[in-house]
Amino acid sequence: REKKSCTRALAMKHVAAYLLCVMGGNASPSAGDVKKVLDAAGSAVDDSALEKVISELGGKDLEQLITDGNTKLASVTVSGGGGGGGGG
């Protein structure tokens, strides 16, 4: 389970760097563009994770992807835990 969380964290930093490129005006960042962002942050680059991000996000409308993702998250039912016991 720890390895899966680590892999997700690696992928997320690549997604974040990709989004930073897009927000900076680069509508279609290359792997090299994303690497520059990660290098500037002092972060190591996982080439396989980066290629996955580029292949999944490249050429897509990110605003629409984010809107679709928010819609999906809004439909998720989350229940909270029970209240804490009274102090005494």
Side-chain angles (χ1 to χ4, degrees), residues 33-53:
D33 297 328
V34 176
K35 282 183 181 184
K36 286 179 189 175
V37 171
L38 292 169
D39 287 343
S43 184
V45 177
D46 178 323
D47 288 324
S48 63
L50 178 55
E51 289 306 319
K52 176 78 171 166
V53 168

Side-chain angles (χ1 to χ4, degrees), residues 1 13-14 22 25-30 38 42 45 47 54 57 60-62 66 70 73-74 82:
R1 178 155 174 103
K13 74 178 182 179
H14 292 77
V22 172
N26 184 346
S28 186
S30 67
L38 292 169
V45 177
D47 288 324
I54 297 293
L57 297 179
K60 295 186 179 172
D61 179 355
L62 293 184
I66 292 169
N70 284 336
L73 284 175

Side-chain angles (χ1 to χ4, degrees), residues 1 3 8 12 17 20 46 54 60 63 66 79 81 83:
R1 178 155 174 103
K3 182 176 179 156
R8 280 191 185 142
M12 288 307 299
L20 284 170
D46 178 323
I54 297 293
K60 295 186 179 172
E63 286 187 34
I66 292 169
S79 61

